């Protein structure tokens, strides 16, 4: 693997690494930090990567170590619980993360089926990361009503993705 | 849905919304760790959440003044000029995340077949390959990825941009929504949408047909659009094309040259001259020219005889001009930057060189502050980021090297102003008003913060690796 290919591989795995790290940490803010730390390590250690090895395994392993390092650095009260959780979840989280790209492919079509209002709402929430409180204020709803609305839309999308994934598997 | 399931879903969503406290997080972890069904629900919700973030980010190339523009200033105070200093890594991360958020898929990263005419790799009957895909989805709303091979047949693009490299060498960028029929390695039919094409010598004669026009390339770069009303517009950026009216008794052939445009419609039996207006091609053309994305105040100039650095005035944007494409250096050339880092002045004898024989494509980036009647003494300041499809091999930012390289890359008909170099902040200098040019560690992205006094100009010449087409007929 050339250095160009290596960098492109790091770029290509970002969504998957994000999903993986987020699931191990159960904390979206920490997950962003650890994703950046993982990227730094991946880039700094580019020369250590054996080109006959699996890049994905290398990247997930790096991410897992960064998750554990992050937990230890923060010396959380429940360090043992968090570490055990991350270690136990890591193998299944990797399988889930590898599915992310397919989900992204399917999701595009599912989002298109939504009403324009719902699309705009999702775009604000996920594309621009507008807080639920702000969304609620803009829409003149309570925070709880906004949460409910997003919950329903996500359920619709989740069902749509599952359906399309099943169709893909069946096909 | 039972109550347990619902309460877990709420807990997961609250986690994703970042509002869990430590006790709730511990509760969530315990449930996920102990129960297989809960674990599956947890992982599914995270996968959907991550996918939603990726899908719903702004996915088309950013227009000027985008709110997503990276703040170059925040990077410029960091360490300078070592191999992997903090600044370049941060810049690289910015570029990486930017690309991630916009779903840009690079060459070879994916290979699943997603459109009827795009087949799996190793199929020898393909006529083109998707080499870039920017937020592109087909008619079933399935993402199109680079690396996919294109067979003859229908190719519908719901949205986004794809670049197809034909085995003949023709490079065509399609902007959705578009309906295309790929006929063979030398011909496509555009039923609706926008395409821009760059045709190298081996592919001269490449044809774009529409319902009303037969466009034959004569060695050139051009754009064709077909609107909802069926009207075909042809704009020639460089060189020459011939255009015939299809479905008319007239057998007149119109030769359309650089800077000219024609229109064909069912309402007229002939090919009619029209105003040269490149607005429709502003999204597709940069991809064709090797620019993957621009953010902030950077504007890519579609080519034309009246657009060159000598006469183009824009006080608000860093404008990007294509110069020489796939050019083989016949002598070594000195450059100011090769490695990732921030540009700093250096002695002439310490400048890095690119060897003779290297194939490069050059671009000129320019920011001017010409005095206006209303604001005759106003200083101008802009920021932006540009990502090229190919690696940057050298950046020229000093007046002396800009002048030297002009002989090789410049337009001989253009009077380039002097001085026009960027002015980096000297070490230890705290005052405002200096320029910052950062080459990110991805080696493809430049992050710029330029400040220009009235009547002055900043220019940068960027040399990127020539885009050898990896496509062959094998």
């Amino acid at each position: 693997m050339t250095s160009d290919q290596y960098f492109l591989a790091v770029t290509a795995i970002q969504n998957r690494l994000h999903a993986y790290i987020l699931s191990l940490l159960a904390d979206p803010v920490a997950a962003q930090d650890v994703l950046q730390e993982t990227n730094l390590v991946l880039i700094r250690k580019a020369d250590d990567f054996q080109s006959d090895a699996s890049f994905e395994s290398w990247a997930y392993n790096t991410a897992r170590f960064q998750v554990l390092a992050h937990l230890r650095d923060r010396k959380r009260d429940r360090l043992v619980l968090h570490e055990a959780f991350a270690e136990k979840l890591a193998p299944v989280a990797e399988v889930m993360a590898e599915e992310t790209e397919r989900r992204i492919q399917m999701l595009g079509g599912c989002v298109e089926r939504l009403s324009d209002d719902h699309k705009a709402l999702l775009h604000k929430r996920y594309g621009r990361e507008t807080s639920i409180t702000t969304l609620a204020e803009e829409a003149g709803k309570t925070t709880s009503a906004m949460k409910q609305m997003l919950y329903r839309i996500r359920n619709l999308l989740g069902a749509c993705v599952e359906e399309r994934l099943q169709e893909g598997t069946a096909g | 849905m039972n109550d347990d399931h619902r309460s877990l879903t709420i807990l997961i969503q609250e986690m994703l919304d970042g509002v869990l406290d430590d006790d709730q997080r511990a509760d969530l972890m315990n449930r996920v760790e102990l129960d297989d069904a809960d674990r599956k629900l947890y992982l599914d919700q995270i996968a959907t959440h991550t996918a939603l973030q990726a899908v719903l980010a702004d996915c088309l190339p950013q227009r000027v003044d985008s709110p997503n523009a990276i703040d170059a200033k925040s990077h410029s105070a960091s360490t300078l000029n070592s191999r992997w200093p903090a600044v370049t890594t941060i810049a690289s991360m910015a570029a990486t995340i930017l690309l991630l958020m916009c779903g840009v898929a690079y060459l070879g990263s994916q290979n699943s077949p997603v459109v009827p005419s795009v087949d799996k790799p190793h199929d020898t009957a393909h006529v083109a390959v998707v080499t870039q895909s920017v937020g592109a989805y087909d008619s079933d709303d399935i993402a199109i990825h680079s690396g996919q091979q294109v067979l003859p047949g229908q190719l519908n693009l719901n949205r986004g941009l794809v670049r197809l490299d034909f085995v003949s060498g023709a490079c065509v960028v399609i902007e959705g929504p578009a309906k295309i029929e790929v006929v063979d390695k030398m011909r496509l039919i555009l039923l609706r949408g926008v395409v821009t094409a760059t045709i190298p010598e081996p592919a001269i004669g490449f044809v774009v047909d529409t319902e009303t026009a037969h466009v034959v390339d004569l060695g050139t770069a051009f754009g064709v659009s077909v609107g909802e009303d069926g009207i075909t517009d042809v704009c020639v950026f460089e060189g020459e094309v011939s255009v015939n009216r299809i479905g008319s008794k007239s057998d007149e052939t119109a030769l359309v040259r650089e800077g000219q445009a024609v229109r064909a419609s069912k309402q007229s039996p002939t090919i009619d001259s029209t105003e040269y207006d490149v607005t429709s091609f502003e999204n597709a053309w940069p991809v064709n020219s090797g620019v993957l994305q621009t953010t902030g105040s950077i504007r890519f100039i579609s080519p034309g005889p009246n657009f060159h650095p000598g006469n183009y005035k824009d006080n608000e944007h860093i404008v990007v001009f294509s110069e020489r494409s796939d050019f083989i250096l016949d002598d070594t050339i000195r450059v100011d930057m090769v490695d990732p880092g921030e540009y700093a002045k250096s002695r002439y004898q310490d400048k890095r060189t690119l060897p003779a024989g290297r194939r490069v494509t050059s671009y000129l980036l320019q920011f001017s502050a010409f005095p206006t009647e209303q604001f005759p003494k106003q200083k101008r300041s802009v920021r932006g980021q540009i990502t090229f499809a190919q690696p940057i091999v050298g950046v020229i930012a000093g007046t002396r090297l800009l002048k030297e390289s002009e002989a090789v890359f410049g337009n001989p008909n253009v009077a380039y102003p002097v001085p026009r170099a960027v002015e980096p902040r000297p070490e230890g200098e705290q005052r405002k008003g200096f320029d910052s040019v950062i080459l990110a560690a991805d080696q493809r992205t430049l992050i710029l913060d330029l400040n220009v006094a009235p009547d002055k100009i900043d220019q940068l010449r960027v040399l990127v690796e020539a885009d050898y087409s990896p496509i062959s007929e094998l």
Side-chain angles (χ1 to χ4, degrees):
Chain A
M1 191 181 263
T2 65
S3 60
D4 278 354
Q5 288 168 331
Y6 184 85
F7 185 83
L8 293 184
V10 173
T11 306
I13 204 171
Q14 290 295 302
N15 288 325
R16 286 173 280 164
L17 278 186
H18 182 214
Y20 178 75
I21 295 167
L22 179 57
S23 65
L24 299 194
L25 284 170
D27 180 342
V29 177
Q32 281 296 343
D33 291 345
V34 174
L35 175 62
Q36 298 235 357
E37 284 156 14
T38 304
N39 284 331
L40 278 172
V41 174
L42 285 173
I43 289 169
R44 283 191 180 131
K45 294 198 169 177
D47 291 342
D48 296 348
F49 175 66
Q50 307 288 325
S51 55
D52 54 346
S54 155
F55 173 79
E56 282 74 17
S57 300
W58 162 259
Y60 287 123
N61 251 330
T62 305
R64 188 167 56 85
F65 279 120
Q66 288 310 307
V67 165
L68 295 174
H70 174 86
L71 291 173
R72 282 167 199 152
D73 287 350
R74 291 182 63 186
K75 296 191 174 106
R76 300 181 75 123
D77 293 344
R78 297 181 173 92
L79 174 63
V80 176
L81 165 73
H82 284 261
E83 276 190 336
F85 178 79
E87 289 283 22
K88 182 166 183 186
L89 209 68
V92 278
E94 197 173 316
V95 176
M96 174 275 292
E98 277 299 296
E99 277 285 308
T100 310
E101 296 298 335
R102 277 192 74 203
R103 260 174 213 272
I104 290 170
Q105 285 190 3
M106 300 301 160
L107 204 50
C110 293
V111 170
E112 285 306 309
R113 292 183 195 173
L114 296 174
S115 70
D116 287 348
D117 285 353
H118 284 177
K119 268 191 271 191
L121 182 65
L122 282 183
H123 185 78
K124 281 184 190 169
R125 178 71 191 105
Y126 294 96
R128 297 186 194 154
E129 298 187 23
T130 309
S131 73
I132 289 176
T133 316
T134 307
L135 289 177
E137 280 169 10
E138 281 178 7
K141 291 179 187 293
T142 62
T143 308
S144 154
M146 181 54 68
K147 277 185 188 172
Q148 271 299 321
M149 186 184 262
L150 284 167
Y151 172 76
R152 283 197 207 102
I153 300 172
R154 275 190 304 248
N155 268 354
L156 282 173
L157 286 174
C160 171
V161 167
E162 283 304 321
E163 187 187 316
R164 297 187 78 178
L165 284 171
Q166 297 290 336
E167 281 169 13
T169 313
Chain B
M1 185 185 291
N2 61 37
D3 285 348
D4 271 2
H5 187 90
R6 184 181 288 275
S7 72
L8 181 64
T9 303
I10 291 168
L11 208 51
I12 295 167
Q13 289 307 328
E14 301 223 309
M15 180 278 283
L16 294 171
D17 291 336
V19 294
L20 282 195
D21 61 30
D22 279 354
D23 287 340
Q24 289 170 312
R25 198 181 325 280
D27 180 28
L28 173 64
M29 286 176 163
N30 275 326
R31 291 178 67 170
V32 168
E33 208 177 338
L34 293 174
D35 189 289
D36 285 349
D38 287 352
R39 195 175 309 129
K40 183 176 181 319
L41 178 68
Y42 173 77
L43 292 171
D44 279 351
Q45 299 255 332
I46 287 177
T48 301
H49 177 86
T50 317
L52 269 171
Q53 283 185 319
V55 167
L56 293 167
D58 291 323
C59 281
L60 285 175
Q62 301 294 309
R63 295 287 197 131
V64 290
D65 307 329
S66 155
N68 287 343
I70 298 295
D71 182 354
K73 227 163 203 155
S74 62
H75 307 309
S76 60
S78 309
T79 324
L80 311 181
N81 277 340
S82 61
R83 185 71 183 92
W84 294 110
V87 65
T88 58
T89 315
I90 292 164
S92 165
M93 290 310 110
T96 302
I97 299 308
L98 186 77
L99 294 174
L100 155 71
M101 295 308 286
C102 288
V104 176
Y106 280 103
L107 178 69
S109 61
Q110 295 287 331
N111 55 19
S112 56
V114 292
V115 291
S117 53
V118 175
D119 212 341
K120 54 185 178 289
H122 314 303
D123 190 312
T124 54
H126 72 280
V127 295
V129 171
V130 177
T131 54
Q132 279 168 24
S133 169
V134 185
Y137 288 83
D138 69 8
S139 51
D140 295 324
D141 258 311
I142 301 217
I144 297 176
H145 288 286
S146 54
Q148 290 176 309
Q149 301 188 346
V150 181
L151 303 175
Q154 200 86 13
L155 197 162
N156 294 337
L157 188 64
N158 254 8
R159 57 198 153 105
L161 289 154
V162 290
R163 173 176 153 171
L164 303 185
D165 283 9
F166 282 75
V167 294
S168 58
C171 163
V172 175
V173 176
I174 306 163
E175 182 182 2
K179 284 185 179 173
I180 302 267
E181 190 181 336
V182 178
V183 179
D184 57 38
K185 64 180 179 179
M186 288 295 283
R187 181 171 172 236
L188 65 82
I189 301 170
L190 175 64
L191 301 167
R192 161 118 173 71
V194 171
V195 300
T196 53
T198 313
I199 310 295
E201 214 174 306
I204 287 177
F206 189 87
V207 171
V208 177
D209 280 331
T210 71
E211 205 181 348
T212 51
H214 175 66
V215 183
V216 183
D217 162 77
L218 303 172
T220 188
F222 62 96
V224 183
S225 70
V226 177
E228 297 262 14
D229 49 11
I231 293 175
T232 298
D233 281 315
V234 182
C235 237
V236 179
F237 307 144
E238 291 164 22
E240 194 173 51
V241 301
S242 74
V243 186
N244 283 88
R245 175 76 171 80
I246 290 178
S248 158
K249 287 175 186 166
S250 165
D251 56 359
E252 170 202 5
T253 297
L255 282 181
V256 190
R257 296 191 172 82
E258 184 173 308
Q260 296 178 338
V262 292
R263 172 168 288 181
S265 71
K266 285 180 180 167
Q267 285 71 42
S268 167
T270 55
I271 299 293
D272 305 316
S273 287
T274 183
E275 189 190 347
Y276 183 79
D277 179 4
V278 295
T279 316
S280 316
F281 308 106
E282 272 188 357
N283 286 334
W285 179 249
V287 178
N288 223 301
S289 307
V291 173
L292 209 54
Q293 194 163 54
T294 61
T295 65
S297 297
I298 291 188
R299 170 173 286 165
F300 193 92
I301 300 301
S302 298
N306 299 318
F307 303 151
H308 60 68
N311 74 355
Y312 198 87
K313 289 191 170 178
D314 187 331
N315 264 337
E316 309 292 331
H317 302 97
I318 299 164
V319 289
V320 184
F321 299 87
S322 277
E323 292 188 314
R324 301 194 78 163
S325 181
D326 196 7
F327 175 75
I328 301 173
L329 295 177
D330 49 14
D331 206 347
T332 57
I333 188 159
R334 281 190 164 81
V335 295
D336 289 301
M337 290 179 86
V338 169
D339 293 327
E342 183 163 359
Y343 168 60
K345 280 189 175 173
S346 60
R347 292 183 308 173
Y348 183 75
Q349 58 267 38
D350 295 336
K351 303 285 186 195
R352 302 279 293 273
T353 57
L354 301 181
R358 184 136 198 188
R359 298 169 80 110
V360 298
T361 293
S362 71
Y363 302 85
L364 189 76
L365 278 58
Q366 173 176 295
F367 177 47
S368 58
F370 62 89
T372 59
E373 211 169 290
Q374 198 180 358
F375 304 108
K377 292 184 178 171
Q378 188 179 12
K379 285 186 82 170
R380 305 278 176 170
S381 175
V382 290
R383 296 172 195 172
Q385 177 168 319
I386 182 166
T387 302
F388 295 90
Q390 297 294 316
I392 296 168
V393 296
V395 178
I396 298 169
T399 298
R400 184 170 180 180
L401 296 193
L402 277 168
K403 204 167 179 205
E404 273 184 17
S405 58
E406 223 120 82
V408 182
F409 299 105
N411 180 338
N413 301 318
V414 171
Y416 289 89
V418 175
R420 61 271 170 69
V422 300
E423 198 57 45
R425 181 185 302 279
E427 210 172 327
E429 178 61 66
Q430 297 299 319
R431 284 175 303 156
K432 290 179 177 175
F434 290 96
D435 301 317
S436 167
V437 176
I438 296 169
L439 172 56
D442 67 356
Q443 203 81 43
R444 286 172 165 79
T445 301
L446 276 181
I447 300 166
L448 304 171
D449 181 355
L450 302 181
N451 299 277
V452 178
D455 227 1
K456 298 281 192 256
I457 194 165
D458 277 359
Q459 284 187 339
L460 286 165
R461 181 162 279 116
V462 183
L463 306 180
V464 308
E465 206 165 282
D467 182 9
Y468 309 92
S469 176
I471 314 304
S472 74
E473 285 188 65
L474 289 176

